[in-house]
Amino acid sequence: MPLARPAAAVTLESIELRVLHLPLVAPFTTSFGTETVREVIVVRARTTDGEGWGEIVTQHAPLYSSEYTQGAWDVAEQFLVPALLDARTFAPGDVAGILEPFVGHRMAKAGLELALLDAALRAESRSLAEHLGAVRDRIPSGVSVGIQQDPAALVDTVAGYLDEGYVRIKIKIKPGRDIADTAAVRGAFGDIPLQVDANSAYTLADADTLAELDPFDLLLIEQPLQEDDIVDHATLAKRLSTPVCLDESIVSLKAARDALALVAASVINIKAGRVGGYLEAVRIHDLCRDAGVPVWCGGMLETGIGRAANAALAALPGFTLPGDVSASNRFYAHDIVTDPIVLEDGHVRVPTGPGLGIGIDEAALAEATVRRVELRL
Ligand code: NPG
């Protein structure tokens, strides 16, 4: 389903980059580490018609992927932003092509493209959701639960999220914190929609352990093996009855096509940052929809900027599984937007205003900013 109508060209005047430090309401532990503060880059694109916002979802350290904040800052400042300023007048759909000579750095590219999409769509008074092809005005909300002290603490934490109304639980696992944790949650809450996320923590040698998850009737196991283990994922998928979902491995439309061709996954997690932008995310959605492969929208602890964009993306018809688009207060006491996403009856609303459909809380933004630069020709 190609985009109904591309966003019109904008004339770029400047791009402002900020590193933010946003404290998390509770530490978030995955197989690759514990975060207590979200470090993220926010992008403001100023055009002759107004402005637009984007978010570069890198983390402080390259633990989830090879990208990290300082690297994204450098590549944006030295190469990506100058290329856009040089191009000056272009449509958001041209951003990927303008930045294509620079290898990789997809999260940085995605954040820049989003700011330009937002600016262009605001100028046209069209919402990002409508532009991407949304067919729903609200989406079911799942929550991602970090590794806790022990399985009993995990059960307590999950109970809190179920009380809030989240319709699907994802728990993080790693070697030694997998079977007992999953059994505890299944045992405590019966047949709730439940899935696990390994963040690449296993190898094919762990196939027997991972097969012990099969009796728990999980929705899926996410990214058990390394990013480039496509063939090993295909081998593992044959051994498990739990559906294998890929996250880290799917860095582009081409990677998604290869993974499906090799039957390395039967479900795909789509994250716009990881794949280089919301427009590439839509292309992966379209591929999977045509192939009958369900997708869901992942999360990277986004601020209200990326969270609004994720809600728009998750409203496309192929997103048939609840995603990690949870309420802002699941991570942040103070978001940087004036209208943070809230949970209503287990769902979040898809923003309908122009562009991202959110306002920026400039005071909160200023307070969270630890570094700022504005680049112009
Ligand atoms: O709800 O935003 C959210 C978090 C969902 O668990 C989540 N994200 O591996 O999918 C992941 C993980 C993540 C977070 C990965 C931050 C990288 C950075």
Side-chain angles (χ1 to χ4, degrees):
M1 199 175 55
L3 294 177
R5 181 159 50 96
V10 292
T11 297
L12 185 60
E13 289 188 332
S14 75
I15 287 198
E16 179 190 83
L17 303 172
R18 291 167 181 257
V19 175
L20 309 190
H21 282 178
L22 279 175
L24 299 180
V25 292
F28 187 59
T29 300
T30 64
S31 62
F32 55 78
T34 298
E35 271 186 286
T36 55
V37 172
R38 178 68 168 116
E39 182 179 89
V40 65
I41 299 175
V42 161
V43 181
R44 182 199 316 239
R46 288 194 165 94
T47 70
T48 48
D49 292 319
E51 63 180 24
W53 295 86
E55 172 171 349
I56 297 176
V57 293
T58 48
Q59 295 178 288
H60 177 74
L63 299 174
Y64 165 82
S65 86
S66 61
E67 293 180 70
Y68 65 105
T69 306
Q70 182 68 50
W73 181 277
D74 285 346
V75 79
E77 189 177 30
Q78 285 199 63
F79 302 106
L80 308 183
V81 173
L84 294 173
L85 290 169
D86 196 47
R88 193 163 154 78
T89 301
F90 52 86
D94 298 332
V95 170
I98 295 167
L99 302 182
E100 212 244 357
F102 306 105
V103 175
H105 296 285
R106 293 181 172 93
M107 294 179 190
K109 292 174 178 176
L112 294 169
E113 183 192 77
L114 181 60
L116 288 153
L117 262 176
D118 184 35
L121 293 169
R122 278 180 204 261
E124 292 177 53
S125 287
R126 294 164 67 200
S127 72
L128 179 67
E130 182 237 293
H131 177 60
L132 297 181
V135 293
R136 287 184 279 262
D137 55 12
R138 57 179 216 150
I139 52 158
S141 180
V143 64
S144 171
V145 185
I147 296 169
Q148 308 290 311
Q149 188 77 30
D150 52 38
L154 175 64
V155 166
D156 280 352
T157 304
V158 169
Y161 290 128
L162 291 172
D163 284 348
E164 285 183 55
Y166 285 105
V167 301
R168 184 230 64 192
I169 299 292
K170 150 170 149 180
I171 62 170
K172 296 287 189 178
I173 59 168
K174 65 177 183 179
R177 293 299 307 274
D178 37 33
I179 312 304
D181 286 70
T182 307
V185 174
R186 246 313 165 243
F189 305 110
D191 64 353
I192 57 165
L194 179 65
Q195 64 195 53
V196 297
D197 183 3
N199 285 117
S200 310
Y202 297 86
T203 72
L204 208 44
D206 300 309
D208 288 344
T209 303
L210 294 173
E212 289 178 45
L213 292 169
D214 280 346
F216 297 113
D217 200 21
L218 300 172
L219 289 169
L220 54 91
I221 177 171
E222 188 179 353
Q223 196 71 37
L225 314 178
Q226 296 288 308
E227 178 176 321
D228 55 2
D229 282 343
I230 302 293
V231 171
D232 281 358
H233 274 108
T235 305
L236 181 66
K238 284 202 206 90
R239 294 270 304 274
L240 305 182
S241 67
T242 305
V244 171
C245 169
L246 289 178
D247 170 6
E248 284 89 329
S249 296
I250 306 300
V251 295
S252 62
L253 175 66
K254 181 173 182 303
R257 204 178 272 136
D258 291 353
L260 297 189
L262 291 168
V263 203
S266 51
V267 182
I268 284 181
N269 162 336
I270 299 184
K271 285 179 182 161
R274 196 193 63 223
V275 304
Y278 284 85
L279 301 179
E280 183 81 345
V282 171
R283 290 188 278 271
I284 296 174
H285 160 273
D286 295 350
L287 169 84
C288 291
R289 195 164 179 235
D290 290 347
V293 170
V295 302
W296 55 280
C297 183
M300 302 267 294
L301 279 62
E302 283 85 355
T303 72
I305 296 173
R307 208 164 283 274
N310 286 347
L313 178 67
L316 269 66
F319 285 81
T320 53
L321 290 168
D324 283 343
V325 189
S326 44
S328 167
N329 71 2
R330 185 259 171 269
F331 291 108
Y332 304 112
H334 299 288
D335 207 323
I336 55 156
V337 296
T338 51
D339 27 24
I341 282 192
V342 292
L343 193 65
E344 296 169 319
D345 190 23
H347 290 66
V348 305
R349 254 188 245 176
V350 177
T352 53
L356 290 165
I358 45 127
I360 297 296
D361 178 344
E362 294 275 359
L365 180 71
E367 173 153 7
T369 300
V370 297
R371 188 174 179 190
R372 178 186 170 278
V373 67
E374 185 160 10
L375 304 165
R376 55 180 74 244
L377 265 191

